[in-house]
């Protein structure tokens, strides 16, 4: 998954074409290798509505994330999406109808401190800053995903995986007609890589793990994404990783880990995944 911002930044395809390629390939691979299509259409109307909601939330997360990556650098994009942990922590408290505790408020202020270090220009007129803010919003949307999956763990994971990809496609398909499809060969190869390895393989594994692991465990694993992306961006694209980015990333990742750690005592989900 750490390759995602690198490839999205380097290909000339717009976010909508990238989304259709990734989701189309992932949907096809899921149908071929997991063979869950029959199970999908056996679901009740209520379950199909849940799957459609999961797909919609996922498509909004991806759309804002892809657009934000195009506006800023891969390392800054990875740092911004790392605010995910703060959002998960606060959303978990809100949905459980509990007031945020001291650790969660501390995580918010640490994340704000990290943001101050990462952002060079505090103006939304600056394209890179606007992209950074958009990806923070994308991370907020993404924080709903593990909650939706865990709340609906009675639906088999293969069906939820297919539903997430399939129902996310319409938003991107609606936007593709205005896109330029005369792209270099390397762009298509990059998007095929994203579709197979960064979506079908990586996201399918992530859906399975985040459905059953406690949020404070899956969230901590997620943050390997940030240093990996920064190293790849520096070595492949030659991006300058100064002390401000490193310090800001450290604060934001630390804040997110702190927020997720504060959720370790949250009530366990009683439902068990259907095989």
């Amino acid at each position: 998954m750490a390759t995602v911002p690198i490839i999205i930044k380097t290909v000339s395809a717009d976010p909508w074409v990238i989304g259709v390629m990734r989701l189309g390939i992932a949907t096809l691979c899921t149908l071929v290798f997991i063979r869950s299509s029959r199970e999908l259409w056996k679901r009740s109307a209520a379950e199909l509505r849940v799957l459609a909601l999961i797909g919609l939330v996922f498509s909004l997360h991806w759309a804002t994330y892809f657009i934000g990556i195009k506006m800023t650098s891969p390392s800054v994009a990875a740092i911004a999406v790392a605010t995910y942990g703060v959002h998960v922590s606060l959303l978990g408290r809100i949905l459980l109808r509990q007031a945020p505790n001291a650790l969660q408020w501390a995580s918010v202020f640490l994340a704000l401190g990290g943001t101050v270090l990462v952002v060079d220009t505090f103006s939304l007129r600056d394209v890179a800053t606007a992209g950074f803010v958009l990806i923070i919003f994308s991370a907020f949307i993404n924080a709903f995903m593990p909650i939706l999956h865990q709340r609906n763990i009675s639906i088999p994971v293969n069906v939820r995986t297919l539903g997430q990809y399939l129902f996310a496609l319409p938003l991107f398909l609606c936007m593709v007609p205005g896109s330029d499809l005369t792209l270099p060969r390397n762009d298509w190869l990059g998007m095929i890589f994203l579709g197979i390895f960064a979506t079908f393989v990586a996201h399918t594994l992530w859906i399975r793990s985040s459905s059953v692991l406690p949020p404070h465990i899956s969230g901590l694993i997620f943050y390997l994404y940030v240093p990996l992306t920064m190293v790849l961006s520096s070595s492949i694209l030659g991006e300058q990783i100064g002390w401000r980015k490193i310090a800001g990333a450290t604060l934001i990742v630390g804040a997110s880990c702190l927020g997720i750690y504060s959720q370790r005592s949250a009530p366990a989900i009683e439902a068990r995944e259907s095989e």
Side-chain angles (χ1 to χ4, degrees), residues 1-16:
M1 289 173 70
T3 63
V4 171
I6 311 293
I7 296 176
I8 289 177
K9 187 67 177 180
T10 54
V11 300
S12 54
D14 68 24
W16 314 114

Side-chain angles (χ1 to χ4, degrees), residues 105-116:
W105 283 122
S107 72
V108 170
F109 287 110
L110 278 175
L112 287 173
T115 300
V116 170

